[in-house]
Amino acid sequence: MSNPSNNNATIAQPTSSISADGVKSISAQTTGFTFNHTMLRVKDPAKSLDFYTGVLGMTLLAVKKFPDMEFDLYFLAKLTESERENLPSGDDLEIFAFRQRGILELTHNYGTETKADFSYHDGNQDPQGFGHICFSVPNLEEAVAWFDKNDVEFKKRPEDGSMKNIAFIKDVDGYWIEIVQADLMS
């Protein structure tokens, strides 16, 4: 590793990582950067929080309210048992949230929950853009049974289509969530 104070210093990509056109060495200036969260706009935060905590088992770590700008932010994570048992509280919980990887931010713009015909673009119709988020599960078959038990809408079941062993479910706003089992992906 090179000296991070040198603006041109780089760190080699790991030898076991995948190489493709466009992949560069890692700039030492990015040491300490963490990919923290992805944001989805939601129509009704109560319904979305019910889905992400009750069906997908996430934990709400922070709420930021901006009433003057008419929106609220909800930050959730899928924590391990150990992380749940050792979760900090108060201001430390919010700091913890912004140091994590893989956080989901739900943004609610006031008033959308009362508009019957309102919906967000899921990114999968024209013009396409955002596609989905993904959860890895220990057992795909058991996860599918859990989703069925909770009346979750499927976009694609694992046995459908040419990509087997991958499911796509929809959240309450219609965003796609890919469901995979790691050892079935090779």
Side-chain angles (χ1 to χ4, degrees):
M1 182 164 104
S2 302
N3 181 354
S5 64
N6 176 350
N7 287 338
N8 296 322
T10 61
I11 304 163
Q13 291 284 351
T15 57
S16 61
S17 69
I18 305 299
S19 180
D21 288 345
V23 174
K24 294 184 165 212
S25 295
I26 301 163
S27 170
Q29 290 294 310
T30 65
T31 299
F33 286 18
T34 299
F35 176 76
N36 179 250
H37 67 265
T38 295
M39 183 271 274
L40 299 175
R41 288 182 178 84
V42 298
K43 178 177 177 174
D44 185 331
K47 290 179 180 176
S48 293
L49 289 169
D50 179 68
F51 176 83
Y52 282 101
T53 60
V55 176
L56 292 176
M58 298 185 85
T59 299
L60 182 62
L61 299 178
V63 177
K64 300 279 216 184
K65 295 188 174 273
F66 300 92
D68 292 345
M69 294 181 276
E70 299 186 343
F71 70 91
D72 296 334
L73 309 175
Y74 302 85
F75 296 88
L76 300 109
K78 184 65 180 122
L79 303 176
T80 64
E81 181 178 354
S82 174
E83 288 169 330
R84 288 190 307 271
E85 290 171 356
N86 297 294
L87 202 60
S89 59
D91 290 342
D92 289 338
L93 179 58
E94 194 165 291
I95 293 166
F96 172 85
F98 287 97
R99 286 189 172 145
Q100 300 310 301
R101 290 188 232 161
I103 298 289
L104 179 63
E105 174 189 342
L106 303 179
T107 297
H108 171 245
N109 294 296
Y110 297 177
T112 56
E113 70 281 6
T114 62
K115 298 177 182 174
D117 61 344
F118 182 86
S119 67
Y120 285 108
H121 188 291
D122 67 9
N124 291 297
Q125 284 79 39
D126 289 332
Q128 289 183 326
F130 171 83
H132 64 270
I133 61 173
C134 180
F135 277 74
S136 178
V137 298
N139 183 300
L140 185 60
E141 187 176 320
E142 290 175 7
V144 167
W146 171 250
F147 299 141
D148 282 338
K149 181 179 176 183
N150 284 277
D151 298 319
V152 173
E153 182 181 350
F154 279 81
K155 177 66 182 168
K156 179 204 171 297
R157 290 182 167 274
E159 63 275 8
D160 296 339
S162 59
M163 294 178 67
K164 304 299 181 195
N165 299 319
I166 296 174
F168 280 91
I169 61 174
K170 290 184 175 186
D171 79 354
V172 297
D173 286 285
Y175 292 115
W176 296 10
I177 303 168
E178 183 176 9
I179 307 297
V180 300
Q181 181 179 324
D183 59 343
L184 297 178
M185 296 303 294
S186 61

